[in-house]
Amino acid sequence: ARMIKMQHPDYEMYKTGAHGKNDVGCADCHMPYVREGGVKYSSHNVGNPLDHMENTCLNCHSEDEKTLRDTLKRKLERKDELNIAASEVIAKAHLEAGKAWEAGATEEEMKDILRDIRHAQWRWDFSIASHGSFFHAPEETLRILGTAINKGQDARVKLRTVLAKYNAADYVAPDFSTKEKAQALIGLPMDKLVDEKMQFLNTLRQEWIAEQTKKGLYDPPTREGMEFKTSYQK
């Protein structure tokens, strides 16, 4: 099913939440005022408001820090729960649609199903591509994820009819419960990709760093203490 990609709609999500509706600006939380030597200025150490709650959240909220952190933890857990549910429903709908095409389904038979899948995925992406959505607009995030699940399930119900028509009613989507299983399912050549990545990191990246250091554009001390993380092992 052809998809529409949502690219980090953080501002749009923020505007639907309590902070956005009360004209709390980005800088109020991410660049709070600090005092140093009797001088008050806006911090340019842009970061997580929870790292300095005494200068951010507690300027407006009357709750104590622990209560606020516990509340945010529950909001994140709820978002994660619906995110996982929506992801599973939509992924299964994609796989079942693939089976329907394979079995001989026509464009006309798949038209409404593809629209449901696209609408489900767009909603899921809109709510999750905004990484801070559970904080900026928790109610809207849950609402959108709920509609994503509904749209995905609508597609799957319709797909049962199509699959039955083409003698594939017993089709069960394969297991994609881990990253490794999902990669194997789509035929991702991980060994080749990791080898290529390591070659880049050990050659061209090092050349770029050396070149930019000579030009004064790369300052090694600014990277001290930073951990170079990867999503793979080699």
Side-chain angles (χ1 to χ4, degrees), residues 16-194:
T16 70
H19 292 125
K21 290 179 178 178
N22 285 283
D23 295 324
V24 177
C26 303
D28 292 326
C29 301
H30 294 280
M31 298 173 64
Y33 284 114
V34 294
R35 288 186 179 276
E36 186 175 330
V39 178
K40 180 181 179 181
Y41 61 93
S42 180
S43 171
H44 280 60
N45 183 23
V46 181
N48 187 339
L50 302 186
D51 292 341
H52 308 282
M53 292 183 70
E54 68 281 2
N55 294 325
T56 56
C57 310
L58 298 179
N59 281 331
C60 298
H61 291 271
S62 59
E63 298 94 329
D64 60 83
E65 181 174 330
K66 182 180 184 304
T67 299
L68 278 175
R69 287 188 181 278
D70 289 344
T71 298
L72 286 171
K73 181 174 180 291
R74 288 195 299 272
K75 291 179 185 294
L76 179 58
E77 289 171 347
R78 289 166 181 164
K79 185 272 293 185
D80 286 344
E81 180 181 347
L82 288 192
N83 175 29
I84 292 171
S87 300
E88 290 182 351
V89 166
I90 296 168
K92 288 178 179 177
H94 273 293
L95 292 166
E96 289 161 356
K99 182 63 178 180
W101 286 123
E102 180 185 309
T106 66
E107 291 278 352
E108 186 61 29
E109 290 170 330
M110 296 293 287
K111 182 180 178 181
D112 290 343
I113 292 169
L114 299 182
R115 183 184 297 112
D116 285 340
I117 295 175
R118 182 161 52 249
H119 285 192
Q121 177 127 0
W122 189 87
R123 285 164 169 77
W124 167 81
D125 202 8
F126 190 93
S127 60
I128 300 304
S130 173
H131 301 307
S133 61
F134 80 95
F135 185 105
H136 293 144
E139 293 82 6
E140 183 69 355
T141 298
L142 297 183
R143 185 191 71 81
I144 296 174
L145 282 171
T147 61
I149 294 170
N150 288 339
K151 289 289 184 180
Q153 291 290 27
D154 287 345
R156 297 190 68 200
V157 170
K158 295 171 185 175
L159 277 163
R160 284 296 106 189
T161 300
V162 175
L163 290 169
K165 177 180 178 180
Y166 292 95
N167 300 314
D170 59 347
Y171 174 76
V172 177
D175 183 10
F176 53 86
S177 58
T178 67
K179 182 175 70 174
E180 291 74 21
K181 290 179 179 178
Q183 290 169 343
L185 177 61
I186 65 174
L188 199 64
M190 283 305 298
D191 289 341
K192 177 176 179 294
L193 293 173
V194 171

